[in-house]
Amino acid sequence: SDFPHFAAGSTKKTSGIPAITEPKRIAREDHPISRADISHAALKVLYTLKDAGYRGLLVGGGVRDLLAGVVPKDFDVSTDATPEQTRPLFRSCRLIGRRFKLAHVRFGREIIEVSTFRGPVSDDHERDDSGRILSDNVYGTLEQDAFRRDFTVNGLYYDIEDFSIIDYVGGLEDIRARQIRLIGDPETRYREDPVRMLRAVRIANKLGFEIEASTRAPIQELAPLLADVPAARLFEEVLKVLLNKDAVANLRALRELGLFGQLFPQTEQILQLDHSGAYLKFLELALGNTAQRLVEDQPVSPAFLYGALLWPAVEQRYVELLDTQGHPPAVAMAQAGSEVLGRQLQRVAIPKRFGMPASEIWNLQTRFDRRRGKY
Ligand code: ATP
Ligand code: MG
């Protein structure tokens, strides 16, 4: 076999990926994507790679969204050119990432992410105790790259060579069935990278798709794996999922699947004890407000988001401190804020430039707090 890692009887540990070798190829006249749907910057990258003798394919969210009838946010490109080979082809191109190098090609305000085909995961990859992949620097073939993608709907390629769509992983079927399905064995794929649990929620709600049953089933139990993900990466992922037009639906799904409690344990605990539902309502209003601003193309702030997400815990601690310590309100609020923020930082990194304004928002609340009639 050309693909030893996928061969039957192989002792290499793979992601339970079946031995499929013949991809589906859908000719240009049999699918709805045309070059008019693709940004000039992305087309420019694809043709530049092709003219230099490399393969250039659109992959990921751009292809997925176009097939699902949604306007793509951005375009990702996949190629057999290494990042070092890609860089000199473009006037403005930066190589980023340590684990797996990517090229960022800039055209004005648009950035096209160009990734080199990834090789298969094997025992050679360095992992932590729960199976999370730590090193990832082996290049591979287009087919191998397809199976390294997270969901089938993200593993579809648009080939600039002949404008066909290439499907190794059954992504087209899942787009038709409107479902998000992991490629390979779900538990293995979540262990490799627990952030995929958050991505499943975000992408499903973005497209109005369901999370397919076997992809959904292990999440509740594997949610604690998020504790092993670096806090800085979780900060980025939390913004993607909650500073988002679908933030309210995402919050509900994250709570249902036990993911929210891994990210914001203090807040989740209060939401569960709060039978009045007032805190949940508050959070949904705050997230809905940000979502609305995004719809209207108004600026939104991570400080406001984190300020709201932690407010239930901050307020409870504030009231406790007022009652038990007799501190002045401003002192109690400052202390409550720093305690809650400090505990939160163990889960999700919040850069100071957002943590400080979030604290200021909390401190302001004391000025309006006339509950105690002290001021
Ligand atoms: P969007 O850009 O709309 O948020 P996306 O699917 O394009 O969604 P990106 O983060 O831009 O998300 O990733 C581009 C592609 O890279 C994905 O479609 C997927 O094929 C692959 N990818 C991203 N993150 C992972 C991951 N954690 N595991 C495996 N593949 C991934
Ligand atoms: Mg993308």
Side-chain angles (χ1 to χ4, degrees), residues 60-61 64 73 76 149-150 154 193 196 199 202 206:
R64 176 198 70 212
K73 182 187 69 157
D76 303 294
R149 304 275 157 184
D150 47 6
N154 285 347
D193 182 5
R196 291 171 183 153
R199 289 176 53 85
R202 172 166 65 86
K206 175 179 186 182

Side-chain angles (χ1 to χ4, degrees), residues 46-86:
L46 291 170
Y47 278 115
T48 303
L49 287 166
K50 174 175 139 78
D51 292 345
Y54 299 110
R55 303 213 56 189
L57 306 102
L58 216 56
V59 67
V63 180
R64 176 198 70 212
D65 291 355
L66 287 174
L67 291 170
V70 172
V71 178
K73 182 187 69 157
D74 55 29
F75 291 96
D76 303 294
V77 166
S78 184
T79 182
D80 59 354
T82 63
E84 289 74 17
Q85 291 168 327
T86 302

Side-chain angles (χ1 to χ4, degrees), residues 287-299:
L287 294 186
N289 181 283
T290 333
Q292 185 57 33
R293 293 179 63 87
L294 285 169
V295 171
E296 292 165 3
D297 268 327
Q298 294 185 56

Side-chain angles (χ1 to χ4, degrees), residues 73-147:
K73 182 187 69 157
D74 55 29
F75 291 96
D76 303 294
V77 166
S78 184
T79 182
D80 59 354
T82 63
E84 289 74 17
Q85 291 168 327
T86 302
R87 177 155 53 182
L89 302 178
F90 300 97
R91 214 167 29 166
S92 172
C93 178
R94 290 200 317 141
L95 304 193
I96 58 149
R98 269 170 299 160
R99 245 175 38 162
F100 191 87
K101 257 191 243 159
L102 301 169
H104 272 182
V105 181
R106 179 187 288 276
F107 290 91
R109 282 197 309 175
E110 192 172 347
I111 291 176
I112 305 295
E113 195 171 285
V114 182
S115 62
T116 307
F117 298 154
R118 276 175 213 214
V121 176
S122 69
D123 284 347
D124 303 342
H125 283 74
E126 194 190 335
R127 291 167 191 261
D128 70 7
D129 292 343
S130 48
R132 197 166 61 88
I133 298 178
L134 299 176
S135 67
D136 188 3
N137 43 24
V138 186
Y139 298 130
T141 62
L142 170 61
E143 176 180 16
Q144 291 168 338
D145 187 79
F147 288 99

Side-chain angles (χ1 to χ4, degrees), residues 18-61:
I20 302 173
T21 43
E22 275 313 301
K24 254 192 209 136
R25 251 187 195 277
I26 294 86
R28 61 187 299 189
E29 58 274 12
D30 298 326
H31 67 74
I33 299 184
S34 81
R35 273 168 292 170
D37 303 318
I38 302 166
S39 74
H40 289 293
L43 286 172
K44 182 91 182 126
V45 170
L46 291 170
Y47 278 115
T48 303
L49 287 166
K50 174 175 139 78
D51 292 345
Y54 299 110
R55 303 213 56 189
L57 306 102
L58 216 56
V59 67

Side-chain angles (χ1 to χ4, degrees), residues 203-239:
I203 296 169
N205 281 331
K206 175 179 186 182
L207 301 177
F209 284 17
E210 293 294 323
I211 301 175
E212 178 274 333
S214 70
T215 293
R216 187 184 179 89
I219 294 182
Q220 195 89 40
E221 204 182 309
L222 298 180
L225 292 175
L226 284 174
D228 302 333
V229 177
R233 183 164 177 221
L234 287 184
F235 172 75
E236 298 296 331
E237 295 299 328
V238 164
L239 292 187

